Amino acid sequence: MSIYLIVGLLAAVVVYLSTPVVRLVAVRNGIYSPLRDRDVHTVMMPRLGGVGMFLGLAVALLVASQTDWIKAIFHDSTVLWAILAGAAVILVVGAIDDVTDLNSFVKLGGQILGALVVAVWGPRLRVLPLGPIEIQSVPLQIFLTVFVIVLTMNAINFIDGLDGLAAGVAAIGGVAFFVTAYWVHRSALLPNYTDLATLLMAIMVGICIGFLPYNFYPAKIFMGDSGSMLLGLILASGSVVAAGQISSGLYDRASGLPTFLPIILPLVVISLPLVDLSLAVVRRTAAGRSPFTPDRGHLHHKLLDFGYSQRQAVVVMYIWTAFLAFGGAAYAFMYWVPVTIFNLIVLPVVGFLTMNPWLRQNAVASAGQESAQKQAPAQTLHAHTGPLPAIPVPGPRLKSELARYGGDANSADGEGPGLSADPAVLPSPLLRRLHRSVATVTCVSVVASFIALNSVGVVGIYSIMTASLAITVAFGASLLVLHFAVPASAAVAGRTLIVGMMIKVVAFATVFIWLQTPSWVNYEWYQWGIVLAAAAWVAAEVLVFAHQRNAVRADTFGAVEEA
C-alpha cells in the first residue's frame, strides 16, 4: 500500500505546486467564472484548475511507470496511456469551455470523444456484473463504456457548485474505492497484487487533496469543467476496470455480495452525484427544457435554502458521501445482513441531522406567527432621517491580505476576484506558516521516498514517511503552542520566531536522540528523513516569516503615508 500512497502524494504535490501558477495565468488572461443568477459565489473567480489536476495525473503515471513493483501494471499494456490520452482530450474540451462557455451539445460531443479514446484503446466493459454476463460484441462494449464515462463525468460536473464540493466528494468516494480494491487484491494471495483501479483511485484522491487547499471555502480558484470532467473520467475508468475483474474470481472472496460488488461499489461511490444528476434531468425535462440547461435546483442549493452556510452545506454533502460510499464498500468486508441493518439505522439519523435547520426554521416561523397574532397592531415605523452609517473600508493590513489572496484591495467592500472581504476567513500568520511548512515537508518527503525506494526498497518509504510524520507532529505542535500563547500582534515579531526555533531545537533533539527508532524502518534512511524534514520545515517557516514581516512593514509604511 505504501507505494500507492507515495504515488498519490506525488500527484497531490504536483497539483499543489502547479495550481498557483495556473491561477496566475487565469487571472492575467481574465479567465474568470461569470456571475450568474444560479451561482452561489458573489465574486468573479479564476478557473482552469483542471490544468493543474491533469499535470498531477500525468506526472504520477509517468513516475509510477518507472517505479519498482507498481510498474508491472504498465507492462505490455496501453490501457493507462489510453486513459491519459482520453484525459488530455477532456482537458482540452473543458479548458475551452472554461474560457468560452461551449454549447452544451458541443461539450457533450467532446466528452464522447474523450470517452471513445479510453474505450477503444483502454479498459472496456467486457462483463456485466449481473450473473456475470459476458459481452461478446465489441461495439456494444465500446458503447457501454462510453456511456458510463460520460454519465460519471456529468454527474461530477453537476455537483461542482460549491467551494470544495466536487473535489471533496470525489476524494471521499475515491478513498472508499481504493480501500476496497486494494483489500480485494491483497487478500487474494496473488504473487503480484498490483491493480490498475487501485492505482487510479490513489492518484485521484491525491489530485483532490492537492487541489482542496485552493478550492475549499473561501476558494481561490475553481476547477472548472476541465477539472470536474477529469475527475469523472478517472473515477469511471477505475469503475470499468473493477467491473471487468469479475471473471477472475477476485471478488468471490468478498463476504457479502461478491457477484454484485463490482457494480455496487462504483455506484455507491458516485451515488450522490448520480442522484443529483437524475433529479436535474427529470426536473428540467418536466419543465420542457434541455437536460443540460443550468438551474438552481441542485442538492447543494437545497441545503443553502435550508439555512446552511456554504461551508456547512459542503460538510453535510461530505457526510452523506462518506455514509453512502463506506456503507456500500462495507459489503466487501462483512456479511450483508449486519451491514444493511447498520445502514438502515444510520440513514434516518443522517437524514434528521440534514433536515434539522429546516425543521428549526419552520418551528421558529410558526412561533413567530402565533406571537404576532397575539400582539397589538404594529405601530408605524418612523423613517430614518439621520445620516446613513458609513461603510467600513478595509485597513492596510486587510488590503494586503486581500491582495495576497486575489481580492480587490481598492473596492469599498474589500471583495474582488477570489475572496470574500470577511477578515474572519483570513488565516492567522502562524497558521499560514503551519500550512506552508507541512506542504514543504510533504514535497521533500515524496522526493526522498522515491530515492529511498530505489535504494533499499519499500522499507525506505516507511523510513522517510515515519521520520517526516514525527517531525511534522513535533514541529506542528510547537507552532500550535505559539498560536494559542502569543497574541496575533506579536506573531510576526522576531522574538516569536526565535522562541519558536528554540522549541523546535528541543523537539528535534527529542525525535532524533531520545525517540526510539521503530523496528520497521531502515536506521540510516530514518535519520536522513528526520534531518531533511526538519531542514525543510525550518526553511519554509523562515521564508514565510520573512514574507509576512515585509508585508507588515509595507502596510505600516502605507498607513503612515495615508495619514
Side-chain angles (χ1 to χ4, degrees):
M1 179 182 284
S2 59
I3 297 182
Y4 286 127
L5 296 180
I6 290 299
V7 173
L9 279 176
L10 175 64
V13 168
V14 173
V15 175
Y16 181 82
L17 295 178
S18 61
T19 297
V21 179
V22 174
R23 184 185 184 279
L24 181 62
V25 172
V27 169
R28 289 187 174 179
N29 291 276
I31 305 173
Y32 292 105
S33 179
L35 297 178
R36 298 160 294 195
D37 294 337
R38 62 184 176 87
D39 290 329
V40 176
H41 62 281
T42 57
V43 295
M44 296 178 66
M45 189 73 63
R47 42 187 181 180
L48 276 184
V51 175
M53 300 168 79
F54 175 81
L55 290 176
L57 171 65
V59 172
L61 288 179
L62 289 173
V63 173
S65 67
Q66 303 300 319
T67 303
D68 289 340
W69 185 73
I70 206 172
K71 64 183 179 182
I73 301 175
F74 297 80
H75 286 172
D76 301 324
S77 176
T78 60
V79 170
L80 270 171
W81 305 123
I83 295 174
L84 183 61
V89 174
I90 291 301
L91 173 70
V92 172
V93 174
I96 294 175
D97 181 65
D98 289 340
V99 175
T100 63
D101 280 332
L102 289 174
N103 178 276
S104 57
F105 292 101
V106 175
K107 183 166 66 174
L108 178 62
Q111 293 174 348
I112 294 174
L113 177 61
L116 271 174
V117 172
V118 177
V120 172
W121 291 284
R124 296 181 199 159
L125 271 176
R126 304 175 188 272
V127 179
L128 287 178
L130 300 171
I133 301 174
E134 187 173 354
I135 305 173
Q136 300 290 344
S137 172
V138 174
L140 182 58
Q141 293 175 2
I142 294 175
F143 171 78
L144 291 176
T145 305
V146 170
F147 174 78
V148 170
I149 293 176
V150 172
L151 178 69
T152 308
M153 283 193 293
N154 282 286
I156 300 296
N157 190 24
F158 274 37
I159 207 173
D160 184 26
L162 296 178
D163 293 354
L165 181 55
V169 167
I172 294 171
V175 169
F177 202 154
F178 170 82
V179 171
T180 306
Y182 176 81
W183 178 86
V184 167
H185 285 78
R186 187 68 179 88
S187 60
L189 303 178
L190 297 172
N192 185 350
Y193 51 89
T194 56
D195 174 50
L196 173 57
T198 309
L199 176 62
L200 287 175
M201 291 305 104
I203 293 175
M204 188 188 73
V205 172
I207 288 172
C208 295
I209 292 175
F211 187 70
L212 271 174
Y214 304 103
N215 189 237
F216 195 74
Y217 183 84
K220 305 172 188 65
I221 186 173
F222 288 162
M223 68 173 64
D225 284 4
S226 57
S228 59
M229 293 193 301
L230 177 65
L231 293 179
L233 182 137
I234 299 173
L235 184 56
S237 299
S239 303
V240 171
V241 172
Q245 293 171 340
I246 302 173
S247 58
S248 65
L250 284 172
Y251 286 87
D252 291 342
R253 298 183 62 87
S255 304
L257 302 174
T259 302
F260 297 98
L261 185 62
I263 193 171
I264 291 176
L265 183 59
L267 287 177
V268 296
V269 164
I270 61 170
S271 54
L272 203 62
L274 282 179
V275 169
D276 193 35
L277 173 64
S278 302
L279 292 176
V281 171
V282 172
R283 180 177 63 250
R284 294 166 184 175
T285 53
R289 293 179 290 138
S290 168
F292 299 99
T293 304
D295 59 16
R296 202 183 181 281
H298 292 285
L299 294 177
H300 50 272
H301 292 133
K302 298 300 182 184
L303 290 176
L304 294 176
D305 295 339
F306 282 173
Y308 286 104
S309 66
Q310 275 201 56
R311 186 174 296 181
Q312 291 170 340
V314 170
V315 172
V316 170
M317 297 287 277
Y318 285 177
I319 293 173
W320 273 103
T321 302
F323 166 67
L324 294 172
F326 288 97
Y331 287 103
F333 305 94
M334 301 174 61
Y335 187 56
W336 69 272
V337 173
V339 174
T340 304
I341 294 175
F342 176 81
N343 289 339
L344 291 176
I345 293 174
V346 175
L347 178 61
V349 176
V350 178
F352 173 77
L353 293 176
T354 303
M355 298 293 292
N356 187 47
W358 179 76
L359 297 173
R360 194 166 54 227
Q361 282 183 357
N362 283 352
V364 172
S366 299
Q369 290 178 358
E370 294 178 0
S371 176
Q373 292 174 357
K374 295 178 181 179
Q375 290 178 353
Q379 298 179 355
T380 305
L381 295 176
H382 297 286
H384 180 77
T385 56
L388 293 175
I391 299 175
V393 178
R397 177 64 180 167
L398 180 56
K399 287 181 179 180
S400 173
E401 297 290 346
L402 290 171
R404 186 177 306 160
Y405 280 82
D408 183 4
N410 297 319
S411 61
D413 60 357
E415 293 187 351
L419 189 66
S420 166
D422 184 7
V425 303
L426 299 175
S428 72
L430 288 171
L431 289 183
R432 193 179 301 114
R433 284 181 223 166
L434 177 65
H435 167 226
R436 300 297 185 190
S437 299
V438 171
T440 304
V441 170
T442 303
C443 296
V444 172
S445 300
V446 168
V447 176
S449 295
F450 280 107
I451 297 175
L453 175 65
N454 291 326
S455 175
V456 295
V458 177
V459 68
I461 297 179
Y462 297 152
S463 307
I464 296 295
M465 286 300 157
T466 303
S468 301
L469 180 61
I471 289 296
T472 300
V473 172
F475 284 18
S478 68
L479 259 185
L480 289 177
V481 168
L482 287 178
H483 173 69
F484 291 107
V486 176
S489 58
V492 293
R495 62 181 181 276
T496 303
L497 179 66
I498 294 174
V499 171
M501 290 301 164
M502 292 174 64
I503 297 176
K504 288 177 179 59
V505 169
V506 176
F508 177 80
T510 302
V511 174
F512 192 83
I513 300 174
W514 299 109
L515 189 65
Q516 185 177 3
T517 304
S519 59
W520 62 83
V521 303
N522 177 280
Y523 179 78
E524 182 180 355
W525 278 102
Y526 177 71
Q527 300 295 323
W528 272 112
I530 291 176
V531 173
L532 288 174
W537 184 293
V538 171
E541 187 173 343
V542 170
L543 288 175
V544 175
F545 172 82
H547 179 73
Q548 293 171 342
R549 184 81 171 228
N550 292 335
V552 170
R553 289 175 177 173
D555 290 345
T556 305
F557 181 75
V560 171
E561 284 190 340
E562 289 181 3

